[in-house]
mmCIF file of all heavy atoms in Angstrom:
data_model
loop_
_atom_site.group_PDB
_atom_site.id
_atom_site.type_symbol
_atom_site.label_atom_id
_atom_site.label_comp_id
_atom_site.label_asym_id
_atom_site.label_seq_id
_atom_site.Cartn_x
_atom_site.Cartn_y
_atom_site.Cartn_z
ATOM 1 N N THR V 69 90.026 92.002 111.828
ATOM 2 C CA THR V 69 88.854 92.240 110.976
ATOM 3 C C THR V 69 87.576 91.914 111.729
ATOM 4 O O THR V 69 86.591 92.675 111.694
ATOM 5 C CB THR V 69 88.941 91.404 109.692
ATOM 6 O OG1 THR V 69 90.133 91.745 108.975
ATOM 7 C CG2 THR V 69 87.743 91.643 108.797
ATOM 8 N N LYS V 70 87.563 90.793 112.436
ATOM 9 C CA LYS V 70 86.373 90.393 113.186
ATOM 10 C C LYS V 70 86.083 91.345 114.343
ATOM 11 O O LYS V 70 84.924 91.559 114.724
ATOM 12 C CB LYS V 70 86.541 88.962 113.701
ATOM 13 C CG LYS V 70 86.574 87.923 112.594
ATOM 14 C CD LYS V 70 86.984 86.558 113.092
ATOM 15 C CE LYS V 70 85.936 85.918 113.948
ATOM 16 N NZ LYS V 70 86.289 84.529 114.317
ATOM 17 N N GLU V 71 87.140 91.931 114.907
ATOM 18 C CA GLU V 71 86.975 92.854 116.032
ATOM 19 C C GLU V 71 86.576 94.254 115.587
ATOM 20 O O GLU V 71 86.145 95.079 116.409
ATOM 21 C CB GLU V 71 88.289 92.941 116.808
ATOM 22 C CG GLU V 71 88.664 91.652 117.517
ATOM 23 C CD GLU V 71 90.127 91.634 117.953
ATOM 24 O OE1 GLU V 71 90.832 92.637 117.671
ATOM 25 O OE2 GLU V 71 90.568 90.634 118.526
ATOM 26 N N SER V 72 86.679 94.546 114.305
ATOM 27 C CA SER V 72 86.398 95.891 113.811
ATOM 28 C C SER V 72 84.927 96.255 114.032
ATOM 29 O O SER V 72 84.023 95.455 113.781
ATOM 30 C CB SER V 72 86.723 95.983 112.320
ATOM 31 O OG SER V 72 86.271 97.216 111.789
ATOM 32 N N PRO V 73 84.650 97.462 114.487
ATOM 33 C CA PRO V 73 83.262 97.876 114.721
ATOM 34 C C PRO V 73 82.458 98.115 113.449
ATOM 35 O O PRO V 73 81.244 98.338 113.526
ATOM 36 C CB PRO V 73 83.424 99.173 115.525
ATOM 37 C CG PRO V 73 84.754 99.723 115.119
ATOM 38 C CD PRO V 73 85.619 98.516 114.882
ATOM 39 N N VAL V 74 83.099 98.077 112.281
ATOM 40 C CA VAL V 74 82.350 98.364 111.048
ATOM 41 C C VAL V 74 81.433 97.212 110.667
ATOM 42 O O VAL V 74 80.550 97.370 109.820
ATOM 43 C CB VAL V 74 83.302 98.689 109.870
ATOM 44 C CG1 VAL V 74 84.215 99.846 110.221
ATOM 45 C CG2 VAL V 74 84.108 97.473 109.445
ATOM 46 N N GLY V 75 81.618 96.041 111.279
ATOM 47 C CA GLY V 75 80.698 94.932 111.025
ATOM 48 C C GLY V 75 80.935 94.202 109.722
ATOM 49 O O GLY V 75 79.998 93.985 108.939
ATOM 50 N N VAL V 76 82.185 93.803 109.465
ATOM 51 C CA VAL V 76 82.490 93.004 108.269
ATOM 52 C C VAL V 76 81.754 91.669 108.367
ATOM 53 O O VAL V 76 81.813 90.973 109.389
ATOM 54 C CB VAL V 76 84.008 92.769 108.149
ATOM 55 C CG1 VAL V 76 84.313 91.817 106.995
ATOM 56 C CG2 VAL V 76 84.729 94.097 107.941
ATOM 57 N N ARG V 77 81.079 91.285 107.291
ATOM 58 C CA ARG V 77 80.240 90.084 107.319
ATOM 59 C C ARG V 77 80.971 88.841 106.826
ATOM 60 O O ARG V 77 80.654 87.728 107.244
ATOM 61 C CB ARG V 77 78.985 90.313 106.476
ATOM 62 C CG ARG V 77 78.087 91.417 106.999
ATOM 63 C CD ARG V 77 76.945 91.705 106.037
ATOM 64 N NE ARG V 77 76.160 90.503 105.774
ATOM 65 C CZ ARG V 77 75.224 90.444 104.831
ATOM 66 N NH1 ARG V 77 74.965 91.505 104.072
ATOM 67 N NH2 ARG V 77 74.546 89.325 104.643
ATOM 68 N N PHE V 78 81.925 89.019 105.921
ATOM 69 C CA PHE V 78 82.615 87.868 105.337
ATOM 70 C C PHE V 78 84.099 88.179 105.202
ATOM 71 O O PHE V 78 84.483 89.289 104.819
ATOM 72 C CB PHE V 78 82.049 87.514 103.959
ATOM 73 C CG PHE V 78 80.583 87.190 103.960
ATOM 74 C CD1 PHE V 78 79.637 88.171 103.679
ATOM 75 C CD2 PHE V 78 80.137 85.900 104.243
ATOM 76 C CE1 PHE V 78 78.286 87.880 103.682
ATOM 77 C CE2 PHE V 78 78.788 85.604 104.248
ATOM 78 C CZ PHE V 78 77.858 86.590 103.973
ATOM 79 N N ILE V 79 84.936 87.173 105.496
ATOM 80 C CA ILE V 79 86.388 87.299 105.362
ATOM 81 C C ILE V 79 86.882 86.142 104.502
ATOM 82 O O ILE V 79 86.652 84.970 104.839
ATOM 83 C CB ILE V 79 87.089 87.251 106.732
ATOM 84 C CG1 ILE V 79 86.525 88.316 107.670
ATOM 85 C CG2 ILE V 79 88.600 87.439 106.564
ATOM 86 C CD1 ILE V 79 87.000 88.167 109.109
ATOM 87 N N PHE V 80 87.559 86.463 103.408
ATOM 88 C CA PHE V 80 88.126 85.455 102.502
ATOM 89 C C PHE V 80 89.645 85.582 102.539
ATOM 90 O O PHE V 80 90.181 86.685 102.408
ATOM 91 C CB PHE V 80 87.618 85.658 101.075
ATOM 92 C CG PHE V 80 86.142 85.437 100.909
ATOM 93 C CD1 PHE V 80 85.239 86.468 101.154
ATOM 94 C CD2 PHE V 80 85.655 84.202 100.514
ATOM 95 C CE1 PHE V 80 83.878 86.272 101.007
ATOM 96 C CE2 PHE V 80 84.293 84.001 100.361
ATOM 97 C CZ PHE V 80 83.394 85.029 100.610
ATOM 98 N N VAL V 81 90.325 84.455 102.696
ATOM 99 C CA VAL V 81 91.790 84.459 102.791
ATOM 100 C C VAL V 81 92.352 83.503 101.756
ATOM 101 O O VAL V 81 91.971 82.315 101.714
ATOM 102 C CB VAL V 81 92.263 84.043 104.196
ATOM 103 C CG1 VAL V 81 93.788 84.125 104.278
ATOM 104 C CG2 VAL V 81 91.619 84.911 105.276
ATOM 105 N N SER V 82 93.273 83.989 100.940
ATOM 106 C CA SER V 82 93.880 83.168 99.891
ATOM 107 C C SER V 82 95.179 82.528 100.360
ATOM 108 O O SER V 82 95.944 83.122 101.130
ATOM 109 C CB SER V 82 94.158 84.011 98.649
ATOM 110 O OG SER V 82 94.861 83.272 97.669
ATOM 111 N N THR V 83 95.415 81.314 99.867
ATOM 112 C CA THR V 83 96.746 80.717 100.012
ATOM 113 C C THR V 83 97.711 81.420 99.060
ATOM 114 O O THR V 83 97.309 82.188 98.187
ATOM 115 C CB THR V 83 96.698 79.217 99.695
ATOM 116 O OG1 THR V 83 96.056 79.022 98.415
ATOM 117 C CG2 THR V 83 95.933 78.449 100.750
ATOM 118 N N LEU V 84 99.011 81.148 99.232
ATOM 119 C CA LEU V 84 100.043 81.741 98.391
ATOM 120 C C LEU V 84 100.234 80.908 97.136
ATOM 121 O O LEU V 84 100.099 79.679 97.153
ATOM 122 C CB LEU V 84 101.357 81.836 99.165
ATOM 123 C CG LEU V 84 101.309 82.558 100.510
ATOM 124 C CD1 LEU V 84 102.702 82.603 101.137
ATOM 125 C CD2 LEU V 84 100.735 83.961 100.371
ATOM 126 N N THR V 85 100.549 81.580 96.046
ATOM 127 C CA THR V 85 100.758 80.897 94.772
ATOM 128 C C THR V 85 102.176 80.338 94.683
ATOM 129 O O THR V 85 103.091 80.840 95.339
ATOM 130 C CB THR V 85 100.507 81.863 93.610
ATOM 131 O OG1 THR V 85 101.305 83.040 93.793
ATOM 132 C CG2 THR V 85 99.041 82.261 93.551
ATOM 133 N N PRO V 86 102.391 79.290 93.875
ATOM 134 C CA PRO V 86 103.717 78.662 93.791
ATOM 135 C C PRO V 86 104.712 79.511 93.001
ATOM 136 O O PRO V 86 104.310 80.440 92.283
ATOM 137 C CB PRO V 86 103.425 77.348 93.064
ATOM 138 C CG PRO V 86 102.231 77.655 92.222
ATOM 139 C CD PRO V 86 101.394 78.601 93.031
ATOM 140 N N PRO V 87 106.012 79.200 93.102
ATOM 141 C CA PRO V 87 107.006 79.899 92.276
ATOM 142 C C PRO V 87 106.927 79.423 90.832
ATOM 143 O O PRO V 87 106.371 78.355 90.538
ATOM 144 C CB PRO V 87 108.334 79.490 92.919
ATOM 145 C CG PRO V 87 108.055 78.138 93.502
ATOM 146 C CD PRO V 87 106.639 78.182 93.986
ATOM 147 N N GLY V 88 107.492 80.230 89.949
ATOM 148 C CA GLY V 88 107.531 79.859 88.539
ATOM 149 C C GLY V 88 108.944 79.928 87.997
ATOM 150 O O GLY V 88 109.888 80.272 88.726
ATOM 151 N N PRO V 89 109.120 79.618 86.721
ATOM 152 C CA PRO V 89 110.455 79.691 86.128
ATOM 153 C C PRO V 89 110.919 81.135 85.982
ATOM 154 O O PRO V 89 110.114 82.041 85.781
ATOM 155 C CB PRO V 89 110.261 79.039 84.757
ATOM 156 C CG PRO V 89 108.805 79.238 84.443
ATOM 157 C CD PRO V 89 108.084 79.171 85.753
ATOM 158 N N VAL V 90 112.221 81.342 86.100
ATOM 159 C CA VAL V 90 112.803 82.674 85.911
ATOM 160 C C VAL V 90 113.315 82.767 84.477
ATOM 161 O O VAL V 90 114.098 81.932 84.028
ATOM 162 C CB VAL V 90 113.948 82.932 86.906
ATOM 163 C CG1 VAL V 90 114.612 84.276 86.620
ATOM 164 C CG2 VAL V 90 113.411 82.898 88.326
ATOM 165 N N GLU V 91 112.862 83.777 83.767
ATOM 166 C CA GLU V 91 113.270 83.923 82.377
ATOM 167 C C GLU V 91 114.664 84.530 82.277
ATOM 168 O O GLU V 91 115.075 85.333 83.126
ATOM 169 C CB GLU V 91 112.271 84.798 81.619
ATOM 170 C CG GLU V 91 110.904 84.165 81.457
ATOM 171 C CD GLU V 91 109.983 85.000 80.595
ATOM 172 O OE1 GLU V 91 110.457 86.014 80.024
ATOM 173 O OE2 GLU V 91 108.799 84.644 80.480
ATOM 174 N N ARG V 92 115.382 84.145 81.232
ATOM 175 C CA ARG V 92 116.708 84.708 80.987
ATOM 176 C C ARG V 92 116.586 86.215 80.775
ATOM 177 O O ARG V 92 115.719 86.697 80.048
ATOM 178 C CB ARG V 92 117.344 84.068 79.755
ATOM 179 C CG ARG V 92 118.724 84.607 79.405
ATOM 180 C CD ARG V 92 119.310 83.881 78.211
ATOM 181 N NE ARG V 92 119.517 82.460 78.503
ATOM 182 C CZ ARG V 92 119.975 81.587 77.608
ATOM 183 N NH1 ARG V 92 120.273 81.995 76.373
ATOM 184 N NH2 ARG V 92 120.118 80.314 77.941
ATOM 185 N N GLY V 93 117.435 86.956 81.440
ATOM 186 C CA GLY V 93 117.406 88.408 81.331
ATOM 187 C C GLY V 93 116.469 89.078 82.328
ATOM 188 O O GLY V 93 116.322 90.310 82.305
ATOM 189 N N ALA V 94 115.825 88.282 83.195
ATOM 190 C CA ALA V 94 114.953 88.881 84.204
ATOM 191 C C ALA V 94 115.770 89.758 85.144
ATOM 192 O O ALA V 94 116.913 89.428 85.475
ATOM 193 C CB ALA V 94 114.247 87.781 84.998
ATOM 194 N N PRO V 95 115.228 90.897 85.579
ATOM 195 C CA PRO V 95 115.988 91.794 86.456
ATOM 196 C C PRO V 95 116.442 91.119 87.738
ATOM 197 O O PRO V 95 117.488 91.473 88.292
ATOM 198 C CB PRO V 95 114.992 92.929 86.744
ATOM 199 C CG PRO V 95 113.979 92.864 85.660
ATOM 200 C CD PRO V 95 113.898 91.426 85.252
ATOM 201 N N ARG V 96 115.658 90.140 88.230
ATOM 202 C CA ARG V 96 115.980 89.553 89.522
ATOM 203 C C ARG V 96 115.259 88.221 89.686
ATOM 204 O O ARG V 96 114.121 88.064 89.232
ATOM 205 C CB ARG V 96 115.555 90.518 90.631
ATOM 206 C CG ARG V 96 115.882 90.071 92.048
ATOM 207 C CD ARG V 96 115.415 91.139 93.012
ATOM 208 N NE ARG V 96 115.489 90.692 94.396
ATOM 209 C CZ ARG V 96 114.953 91.340 95.410
ATOM 210 N NH1 ARG V 96 114.334 92.487 95.203
ATOM 211 N NH2 ARG V 96 115.051 90.870 96.646
ATOM 212 N N ASP V 97 115.932 87.275 90.306
ATOM 213 C CA ASP V 97 115.317 85.998 90.664
ATOM 214 C C ASP V 97 114.724 86.147 92.060
ATOM 215 O O ASP V 97 115.446 86.251 93.053
ATOM 216 C CB ASP V 97 116.366 84.883 90.636
ATOM 217 C CG ASP V 97 115.780 83.512 90.973
ATOM 218 O OD1 ASP V 97 114.611 83.453 91.405
ATOM 219 O OD2 ASP V 97 116.492 82.498 90.803
ATOM 220 N N ARG V 98 113.388 86.163 92.153
ATOM 221 C CA ARG V 98 112.730 86.385 93.437
ATOM 222 C C ARG V 98 111.938 85.164 93.890
ATOM 223 O O ARG V 98 111.037 85.266 94.722
ATOM 224 C CB ARG V 98 111.820 87.606 93.348
ATOM 225 C CG ARG V 98 112.550 88.892 92.982
ATOM 226 C CD ARG V 98 111.654 90.093 93.115
ATOM 227 N NE ARG V 98 111.228 90.294 94.509
ATOM 228 C CZ ARG V 98 110.402 91.268 94.886
ATOM 229 N NH1 ARG V 98 109.946 92.129 93.990
ATOM 230 N NH2 ARG V 98 110.047 91.385 96.140
ATOM 231 N N ARG V 99 112.288 84.024 93.374
ATOM 232 C CA ARG V 99 111.530 82.815 93.711
ATOM 233 C C ARG V 99 111.611 82.475 95.200
ATOM 234 O O ARG V 99 112.626 82.683 95.846
ATOM 235 C CB ARG V 99 112.043 81.627 92.900
ATOM 236 C CG ARG V 99 111.704 81.663 91.422
ATOM 237 C CD ARG V 99 112.350 80.497 90.709
ATOM 238 N NE ARG V 99 113.811 80.582 90.787
ATOM 239 C CZ ARG V 99 114.628 79.603 90.405
ATOM 240 N NH1 ARG V 99 114.135 78.471 89.921
ATOM 241 N NH2 ARG V 99 115.940 79.761 90.514
ATOM 242 N N ILE V 100 110.522 81.920 95.696
ATOM 243 C CA ILE V 100 110.462 81.337 97.033
ATOM 244 C C ILE V 100 110.465 79.820 96.852
ATOM 245 O O ILE V 100 109.806 79.290 95.950
ATOM 246 C CB ILE V 100 109.191 81.777 97.770
ATOM 247 C CG1 ILE V 100 109.186 83.300 97.957
ATOM 248 C CG2 ILE V 100 109.066 81.077 99.126
ATOM 249 C CD1 ILE V 100 107.869 83.845 98.458
ATOM 250 N N ALA V 101 111.201 79.118 97.696
ATOM 251 C CA ALA V 101 111.266 77.660 97.599
ATOM 252 C C ALA V 101 109.865 77.064 97.688
ATOM 253 O O ALA V 101 109.048 77.471 98.529
ATOM 254 C CB ALA V 101 112.148 77.095 98.706
ATOM 255 N N SER V 102 109.594 76.093 96.830
ATOM 256 C CA SER V 102 108.268 75.459 96.810
ATOM 257 C C SER V 102 107.904 74.888 98.172
ATOM 258 O O SER V 102 106.751 74.993 98.629
ATOM 259 C CB SER V 102 108.238 74.351 95.752
ATOM 260 O OG SER V 102 108.406 74.874 94.460
ATOM 261 N N GLU V 103 108.894 74.286 98.837
ATOM 262 C CA GLU V 103 108.625 73.681 100.146
ATOM 263 C C GLU V 103 108.174 74.740 101.158
ATOM 264 O O GLU V 103 107.307 74.481 102.004
ATOM 265 C CB GLU V 103 109.867 72.962 100.676
ATOM 266 C CG GLU V 103 110.391 71.857 99.760
ATOM 267 C CD GLU V 103 111.421 72.372 98.760
ATOM 268 O OE1 GLU V 103 111.381 73.583 98.444
ATOM 269 O OE2 GLU V 103 112.260 71.563 98.332
ATOM 270 N N ALA V 104 108.755 75.927 101.082
ATOM 271 C CA ALA V 104 108.373 77.003 101.999
ATOM 272 C C ALA V 104 106.949 77.476 101.724
ATOM 273 O O ALA V 104 106.178 77.755 102.659
ATOM 274 C CB ALA V 104 109.360 78.163 101.884
ATOM 275 N N ILE V 105 106.613 77.578 100.451
ATOM 276 C CA ILE V 105 105.245 77.969 100.091
ATOM 277 C C ILE V 105 104.246 76.942 100.630
ATOM 278 O O ILE V 105 103.209 77.297 101.208
ATOM 279 C CB ILE V 105 105.100 78.098 98.564
ATOM 280 C CG1 ILE V 105 105.914 79.289 98.036
ATOM 281 C CG2 ILE V 105 103.633 78.235 98.166
ATOM 282 C CD1 ILE V 105 105.329 80.637 98.319
ATOM 283 N N VAL V 106 104.543 75.670 100.452
ATOM 284 C CA VAL V 106 103.651 74.604 100.922
ATOM 285 C C VAL V 106 103.459 74.689 102.430
ATOM 286 O O VAL V 106 102.330 74.591 102.950
ATOM 287 C CB VAL V 106 104.197 73.223 100.507
ATOM 288 C CG1 VAL V 106 103.430 72.103 101.211
ATOM 289 C CG2 VAL V 106 104.108 73.047 98.991
ATOM 290 N N GLN V 107 104.540 74.877 103.170
ATOM 291 C CA GLN V 107 104.435 74.955 104.629
ATOM 292 C C GLN V 107 103.680 76.217 105.074
ATOM 293 O O GLN V 107 102.883 76.173 106.016
ATOM 294 C CB GLN V 107 105.831 74.935 105.241
ATOM 295 C CG GLN V 107 106.573 73.616 105.067
ATOM 296 C CD GLN V 107 107.987 73.673 105.615
ATOM 297 O OE1 GLN V 107 108.208 74.104 106.747
ATOM 298 N NE2 GLN V 107 108.957 73.246 104.816
ATOM 299 N N ALA V 108 103.931 77.316 104.412
ATOM 300 C CA ALA V 108 103.210 78.543 104.753
ATOM 301 C C ALA V 108 101.717 78.384 104.472
ATOM 302 O O ALA V 108 100.867 78.852 105.251
ATOM 303 C CB ALA V 108 103.775 79.718 103.967
ATOM 304 N N ASN V 109 101.385 77.713 103.362
ATOM 305 C CA ASN V 109 99.977 77.486 103.042
ATOM 306 C C ASN V 109 99.308 76.573 104.061
ATOM 307 O O ASN V 109 98.119 76.741 104.377
ATOM 308 C CB ASN V 109 99.838 76.910 101.637
ATOM 309 C CG ASN V 109 99.989 77.971 100.561
ATOM 310 O OD1 ASN V 109 99.836 79.165 100.829
ATOM 311 N ND2 ASN V 109 100.287 77.552 99.344
ATOM 312 N N ASP V 110 100.054 75.616 104.606
ATOM 313 C CA ASP V 110 99.504 74.792 105.682
ATOM 314 C C ASP V 110 99.154 75.656 106.886
ATOM 315 O O ASP V 110 98.099 75.470 107.521
ATOM 316 C CB ASP V 110 100.504 73.703 106.086
ATOM 317 C CG ASP V 110 100.628 72.595 105.050
ATOM 318 O OD1 ASP V 110 99.709 72.474 104.201
ATOM 319 O OD2 ASP V 110 101.645 71.859 105.072
ATOM 320 N N GLN V 111 100.020 76.597 107.188
ATOM 321 C CA GLN V 111 99.752 77.520 108.284
ATOM 322 C C GLN V 111 98.497 78.360 107.994
ATOM 323 O O GLN V 111 97.644 78.562 108.866
ATOM 324 C CB GLN V 111 100.950 78.448 108.493
ATOM 325 C CG GLN V 111 102.177 77.779 109.076
ATOM 326 C CD GLN V 111 102.240 77.954 110.588
ATOM 327 O OE1 GLN V 111 101.310 78.464 111.212
ATOM 328 N NE2 GLN V 111 103.341 77.520 111.180
ATOM 329 N N ILE V 112 98.402 78.862 106.777
ATOM 330 C CA ILE V 112 97.251 79.691 106.398
ATOM 331 C C ILE V 112 95.960 78.892 106.519
ATOM 332 O O ILE V 112 94.958 79.372 107.088
ATOM 333 C CB ILE V 112 97.430 80.246 104.971
ATOM 334 C CG1 ILE V 112 98.577 81.273 104.943
ATOM 335 C CG2 ILE V 112 96.134 80.874 104.465
ATOM 336 C CD1 ILE V 112 98.970 81.733 103.557
ATOM 337 N N ARG V 113 95.959 77.660 106.017
ATOM 338 C CA ARG V 113 94.752 76.833 106.088
ATOM 339 C C ARG V 113 94.335 76.606 107.543
ATOM 340 O O ARG V 113 93.141 76.675 107.874
ATOM 341 C CB ARG V 113 94.990 75.503 105.378
ATOM 342 C CG ARG V 113 95.176 75.621 103.875
ATOM 343 C CD ARG V 113 95.265 74.249 103.219
ATOM 344 N NE ARG V 113 95.543 74.362 101.792
ATOM 345 C CZ ARG V 113 96.743 74.239 101.259
ATOM 346 N NH1 ARG V 113 97.801 73.972 102.035
ATOM 347 N NH2 ARG V 113 96.916 74.362 99.962
#
C-alpha cells in the first residue's frame, strides 16, 4: 500500500476478533482457538 503510486495517505489495520459460542444446529463449527487469535493479534500489532 505504501509503495503504491496512487498516494494512499492513511492505512488502518484491524486486529482479529475472538471466537464465539457455536449454536446447536449450526451448519459448521468454524471457531479458531482463542490462543491462536491472541498470538496472531500480537503479530499484527
Side-chain angles (χ1 to χ4, degrees):
T69 301
K70 293 170 70 174
E71 293 164 359
S72 171
V74 304
V76 174
R77 297 173 57 189
F78 301 94
I79 305 170
F80 295 86
V81 183
S82 174
T83 51
L84 306 182
T85 53
V90 175
E91 293 185 6
R92 179 178 297 177
R96 183 179 170 191
D97 181 350
R98 300 189 64 182
R99 289 176 297 171
I100 298 170
S102 296
E103 301 90 335
I105 292 286
V106 169
Q107 293 176 50
N109 282 340
D110 287 342
Q111 289 264 7
I112 292 172
R113 293 186 184 98

